[in-house]
Amino acid sequence: MRDLKIPGERHPEKAHRPDNPQPKKPDWIRVRAPGGQGYAETRRIMRDNNLTTVCEEAGCPNVGECWSAGHATMMIMGEVCTRGCTFCNVATGRPDALDVFEPGRVADAVQKLGLNHVVITSVDRDDLDDGGAEHFAQTIRALRHRAPDTTIEILTPDFLKCGPEALETVVAAKPDVFNHNLETVPALYPSVRPGARYFHSLRLLQRVKEIDPSIFTKSGIMVGLGEGRSEVHQVMDDMRSANIDFLTIGQYLQPTPKHHAVDRFVTPDEFKSYEKAAWGKGFLMVSATPLTRSSYHAGEDFARLRDAREKSLARA
Ligand code: SF4
């Protein structure tokens, strides 16, 4: 594989793509501008620990709000991905070797931030035999050691090119929530997520539950990429068939003109309708708003669910 990174050019691998003009965002997509003391402190801890965040790499619109509250989603295993998904702002190319000290630095940062709940994600590492499974497991173990009261959510790649032991390695480390995003409806995979397989991703989450039913599973999609309403409902049904517990649905925002075009902005009322349908299908947690992202308010959502479960156990 060629190393496509060129100094000074952030996303050279997307240079061959046609320009898709970025449409003006509607009024309902309003975000807090980054800044303030909390934001600066989160940024300092990330820099001091030499950590990469998906908040910055993906150009997440919620970074002002999340970082002000000390919530950053760390992205392990480098900042170069082996896949070329057309919605994603992370650079594609040949990644560096794994940094064996990274799990310790992640744990240190989480301890300093004093997080009740942390979300850890990664780039895709098709260049590694285990897809980075052992590195995920080491990160979870380091977090358990340094921040034992913090609940851990991982947002993983699909381990498509690995044997079954890769997933088993990650599950054996016992994250509290195992998240893997389906990202879009199956018909759009060839144009949005060309290196992935919809039913493989679904089966990955189903297997997590089969291996360890005590782990919550979570997945999400973006809307506004060109999907139909009935296709979104079918994805929800597929997710419930795979025993997925939590669902997130958010508006796709186009990072640059070289990325997949926004087909349309889904209205807040349509999001409410998706949310209502999802609760009806039996998800334990649903977040469906224009600004919903996998890790947006993930800690609050998880704490609410855990409280509800404890109350219901106490009543039983
Ligand atoms: S929603 Fe997630 S990715 Fe976006 S800023 Fe918040 S923590 Fe980071």
Side-chain angles (χ1 to χ4, degrees), residues 53-56 58-67 71-74 119 291-298:
T53 67
V54 75
C55 319
E56 290 178 293
C60 181
N62 301 322
V63 68
E65 179 189 336
C66 291
W67 283 29
H71 295 152
T73 295
M74 282 152 259
V119 184
L291 287 172
T292 290
R293 299 293 180 265
S294 295
S295 46
Y296 189 48
H297 294 174

Side-chain angles (χ1 to χ4, degrees), residues 108-173:
D108 186 57
V110 169
Q111 193 182 34
K112 283 179 183 150
L113 289 165
L115 295 179
N116 296 323
H117 184 85
V118 65
V119 184
I120 306 291
T121 190
S122 78
V123 288
D124 211 291
R125 292 296 305 250
D126 289 333
D127 58 313
L128 302 173
D129 288 344
D130 73 346
E134 182 55 33
H135 198 80
F136 256 111
Q138 281 173 10
T139 304
I140 294 167
R141 288 194 287 267
L143 281 163
R144 291 281 183 234
H145 182 66
R146 291 284 294 276
D149 297 329
T150 304
T151 49
I152 302 170
E153 176 169 336
I154 53 166
L155 171 57
T156 75
D158 60 11
F159 302 110
L160 180 66
K161 298 180 180 170
C162 310
E165 59 285 352
L167 182 65
E168 288 157 14
T169 297
V170 182
V171 173

Side-chain angles (χ1 to χ4, degrees), residues 223 249-251 266-275 288-290:
V223 288
I249 306 180
Q251 169 70 49
V266 177
T267 66
D269 280 350
E270 288 175 281
F271 275 103
K272 281 196 190 117
S273 152
Y274 282 141
E275 181 185 351
T289 71

Side-chain angles (χ1 to χ4, degrees), residues 34-78:
Q37 201 182 340
Y39 176 89
E41 180 61 5
T42 302
R43 193 168 183 275
R44 186 188 64 74
I45 292 171
M46 293 303 112
R47 298 288 182 273
D48 286 356
N49 284 276
N50 193 21
L51 294 171
T52 304
T53 67
V54 75
C55 319
E56 290 178 293
E57 294 300 309
C60 181
N62 301 322
V63 68
E65 179 189 336
C66 291
W67 283 29
S68 296
H71 295 152
T73 295
M74 282 152 259
M75 190 170 83
I76 58 176
M77 299 195 272

